[in-house]
Amino acid sequence: MSKKRRISIIAGIATGVIVFMLAGFIVYLQIYYSSRWYPGTMINGIDVSKQTLEESKKNLTAVFHDYELNVKARDNGNITIFGRDLDYNVDSGTAWEDLFEEQHVSFVLFPKEREYSIEYNVSYNEEKLREQMMNSLLVAGNEDYRIVEPVSAYPSYDKEKKQYVCVQEVSGNKIKTDLFLNALKAALQEARIEIDLTDQEKYPDLYEKPAVTSEDEALKSEISLCNNAAVRFITWNMGEGVTEKITPNTISKWISCKNGKIKYNENAIADWVEKFCAKYKTVGKTRTLNSHEKKKVRKIQVSGGDYGWQLDYNKTLQQAKKALKKKIDNSLTEAYIADPGSENKKALTMKQKVNYLNTAFKKDFENFEEDWDPNNYTEVSIKKQMVYVVRDGKVAFKCRTISGRPVKGRETPRGAFFIKEHRRDYTMKGEDYETFVKCWVRITWTGTGFHPATWQPWHRWNKDLYKTIGSHGCLNLHPADAEKIYSMLKYRELVYIH
């Protein structure tokens, strides 16, 4: 016999042995599982793999005797329903036998894992079940397990990011009691030992849900709308390296969105502009000035008057409103949100002109009251009835005056004022007078000014004369002095009266 022939015979014998053994193993499995459940068999949550029918029924009876249903819920919630508290009883009837027979209609060499559901003939006290459910921590809650209501997602302004973002919804753990009761009944009907209420596939609607989620298209649209309204920078260059601005942080406090439209808090905007104007207003502030009414110059404080810086509130308010409501291409807003760099910020910046009602000599944002020229101004002393014109820090000219009579309606106003106009010829008008004068220099818009008074007795002038024959508020001057004052005092220059 050739070598090749011998190899062929040996191979055939080996194959036959393997086939015989395999066939024997299959026969063994068929015989073994003819009286047992196949591997991976679950019945109503109970594992009966490889158990005989009698063994599985015995185990089932034990389960029914001390029946417990474990309920797993959100936020690590867990309760156990005890069958004995419900007068729970189960009669499986022939359900297990029927299922066993169904599984063994034909032999399965490679069985798959499978869970079967069987409805038993069960009985229990439904009122007791409802009472247990309602008093359970999953429904009533306790100190360790708080019932959390669902909260809808909503837009909120993020100060650090300088933009509106979505605050995620809170799913909560509030259970719909009717659906919870149905789930418990279904589990009891099948004698299940555990249910998981967090299983979204089995119990998709068991928990209360937030009305709006982060995926809501209307919410996304509202966030985009709010960002387009809030993400902008409105600036005023105040000079001296100081910039006043309205930023997204501020705007976010002024806007709200309803029905797809942005609403502005007009009062809040007006309040901001009012504070802005007040911050840079120096009119009426108390100033410390040099007084020359005595031989030795001394410091005095003067308050009131209309000298100083003052923003135009109405124009500034209109600027702010116009800039706030200006339409901006949403692509510019989105570009800044993606990259809040200087270039993208520049595209959203709106520079405004500073509008003043009144101006002064200079600005000092550390000492706001230092807004005048301490080397060139005019001082009027009511007590001494004298006028001092200061030039280059020294008194360049001084003269006598007769101020307003110190009675109601005729006193000369005190404070810091600015020169408003010069007129060579001017007619002063009051309730009981109309007088033409030359060299009129206006101090207040209510009628106070320097002017010559030829009718006053200059030959017997003294510092108390104003108390009896004082003017209606103006600063009466000798005609020669009036000419000098007219020529020396400059438009918008400071005059302080004390």
Side-chain angles (χ1 to χ4, degrees):
M1 184 182 295
S2 65
K3 183 177 180 181
K4 184 176 181 181
R5 176 67 175 167
R6 286 197 304 272
I7 294 172
S8 177
I9 291 172
I10 293 171
I13 294 171
T15 302
V17 170
I18 292 172
V19 170
F20 178 77
M21 291 178 65
L22 183 60
F25 181 69
I26 292 173
V27 170
Y28 166 77
L29 289 177
Q30 189 172 9
I31 294 171
Y32 181 80
Y33 283 112
S34 65
S35 61
R36 296 175 183 274
W37 297 99
Y38 282 120
T41 302
M42 299 282 290
I43 301 176
N44 292 359
I46 300 174
D47 188 357
V48 296
S49 300
K50 300 181 182 180
Q51 296 178 17
T52 66
L53 179 59
E54 290 305 316
E55 287 174 340
S56 62
K57 289 179 69 176
K58 184 179 180 181
N59 292 336
L60 175 66
T61 301
V63 169
F64 289 164
H65 183 266
D66 296 314
Y67 179 74
E68 296 179 2
L69 173 60
N70 293 309
V71 182
K72 181 182 177 183
R74 286 180 182 175
D75 301 336
N76 297 318
N78 198 296
I79 63 170
T80 301
I81 302 292
F82 295 97
R84 60 179 177 272
D85 296 333
L86 308 177
D87 304 328
Y88 187 69
N89 185 54
V90 179
D91 179 8
S92 61
T94 62
W96 281 58
E97 288 84 352
D98 295 343
L99 180 60
F100 188 86
E101 186 176 334
E102 179 187 331
Q103 191 186 60
H104 291 79
V105 170
S106 60
F107 174 68
V108 180
L109 182 58
F110 301 107
K112 297 180 179 179
E113 289 187 4
R114 183 171 178 183
E115 180 171 351
Y116 297 91
S117 294
I118 295 177
E119 287 194 7
Y120 301 122
N121 293 320
V122 303
S123 62
Y124 55 88
N125 189 315
E126 288 195 18
E127 284 303 315
K128 289 184 177 180
L129 175 63
R130 179 183 291 276
E131 184 179 353
Q132 276 204 36
M133 179 194 73
M134 295 304 295
N135 292 330
S136 72
L137 63 84
L138 299 185
V139 174
N142 60 25
E143 290 184 359
D144 298 320
Y145 189 82
R146 301 287 185 182
I147 301 301
V148 180
E149 297 273 355
V151 179
S152 291
Y154 61 93
S156 178
Y157 184 77
D158 188 313
K159 290 182 179 180
E160 292 184 2
K161 295 181 179 179
K162 291 184 174 64
Q163 61 179 273
Y164 278 85
V165 297
C166 176
V167 176
Q168 295 291 318
E169 66 273 12
V170 176
S171 297
N173 59 16
K174 187 174 183 181
I175 289 177
K176 296 178 181 178
T177 54
D178 55 339
L179 297 184
F180 186 20
L181 184 60
N182 290 340
L184 291 174
K185 287 180 177 180
L188 292 172
Q189 186 65 42
E190 297 178 356
R192 291 188 175 275
I193 60 175
E194 184 179 73
I195 59 173
D196 186 354
L197 302 183
T198 65
D199 188 333
Q200 287 292 308
E201 291 187 6
K202 289 185 178 179
Y203 309 106
D205 301 314
L206 190 136
Y207 284 95
E208 297 280 358
K209 295 180 180 180
V212 180
T213 70
S214 57
E215 297 302 315
D216 186 85
E217 291 301 322
L219 175 62
K220 292 179 180 179
S221 177
E222 183 176 339
I223 291 172
S224 177
L225 199 62
C226 288
N227 274 325
N228 186 257
V231 181
R232 58 187 65 199
F233 303 84
I234 307 167
T235 64
W236 287 265
N237 185 350
M238 306 306 295
E240 305 299 313
V242 176
T243 300
E244 196 70 27
K245 60 185 71 174
I246 298 176
T247 65
N249 287 359
T250 303
I251 300 172
S252 68
K253 300 173 184 176
W254 297 344
I255 64 173
S256 58
C257 185
K258 189 175 182 181
N259 299 325
K261 292 184 178 181
I262 294 293
K263 184 178 179 181
Y264 295 86
N265 187 330
E266 301 285 345
N267 290 334
I269 297 170
D271 288 344
W272 185 93
V273 172
E274 184 177 352
K275 291 178 181 177
F276 170 31
C277 292
K279 178 180 178 180
Y280 294 94
K281 180 182 178 181
T282 63
V283 171
K285 282 189 174 291
T286 299
R287 296 173 176 81
T288 302
L289 306 104
N290 290 327
S291 175
H292 302 85
E293 60 184 5
K294 294 183 178 181
K295 289 184 178 180
K296 186 177 181 180
V297 176
R298 63 189 180 95
K299 298 287 186 181
I300 64 169
Q301 290 189 324
V302 177
S303 301
D306 60 11
Y307 181 87
W309 296 97
Q310 184 174 358
L311 290 168
D312 189 321
Y313 169 81
N314 290 324
K315 286 185 178 180
T316 305
L317 179 59
Q318 291 307 311
Q319 283 180 321
K321 287 182 177 180
K322 184 177 180 180
L324 286 167
K325 298 177 183 180
K326 181 181 179 181
K327 290 185 178 180
I328 293 179
D329 193 303
N330 204 47
S331 63
L332 298 177
T333 306
E334 292 175 352
Y336 176 82
I337 290 173
D339 175 20
S342 58
E343 284 301 313
N344 290 332
K345 181 178 179 180
K346 183 179 179 181
L348 298 173
T349 299
M350 306 174 195
K351 296 180 179 179
Q352 308 297 315
K353 177 186 176 183
V354 182
N355 291 296
Y356 286 104
L357 276 177
N358 206 36
T359 60
F361 177 72
K362 65 178 181 179
K363 297 175 181 176
D364 186 335
F365 295 137
E366 291 185 2
N367 300 290
F368 281 91
E369 65 278 2
E370 299 293 331
D371 58 355
W372 54 290
D373 183 356
N375 293 315
N376 298 282
Y377 60 92
T378 299
E379 174 190 1
V380 178
S381 169
I382 300 298
K383 181 179 179 181
K384 294 292 185 179
Q385 291 289 287
M386 290 292 294
V387 178
Y388 306 92
V389 181
V390 177
R391 291 291 177 265
D392 298 324
K394 297 180 180 180
V395 177
F397 177 74
K398 63 181 180 179
C399 64
R400 302 164 297 169
T401 186
I402 298 175
S403 62
R405 187 179 172 189
V407 295
K408 186 177 180 180
R410 293 184 62 167
E411 284 188 301
T412 299
R414 270 75 163 172
F417 303 90
F418 66 93
I419 300 300
K420 297 167 178 60
E421 68 174 353
H422 293 68
R423 290 197 185 183
R424 273 291 174 187
D425 302 308
Y426 182 69
T427 300
M428 300 183 299
K429 296 180 180 180
E431 292 183 2
D432 57 353
Y433 69 91
E434 183 173 321
T435 307
F436 174 81
V437 295
K438 306 282 285 184
C439 299
W440 162 260
V441 179
R442 183 183 291 277
I443 298 174
T444 73
W445 292 116
T446 55
T448 300
F450 292 106
H451 64 80
T454 55
W455 56 88
Q456 293 287 20
W458 296 105
H459 61 285
R460 60 181 181 88
W461 173 91
N462 64 72
K463 64 183 180 63
D464 295 319
L465 198 60
Y466 78 103
K467 296 177 182 179
T468 54
I469 59 170
S471 70
H472 287 81
C474 285
L475 294 166
N476 291 176
L477 300 173
H478 186 280
D481 295 333
E483 283 280 357
K484 194 72 174 177
I485 291 294
Y486 184 88
S487 64
M488 292 187 73
L489 271 57
K490 298 178 180 178
Y491 177 65
R492 301 202 69 83
E493 189 173 72
L494 172 67
V495 175
Y496 75 92
I497 305 170
H498 65 94

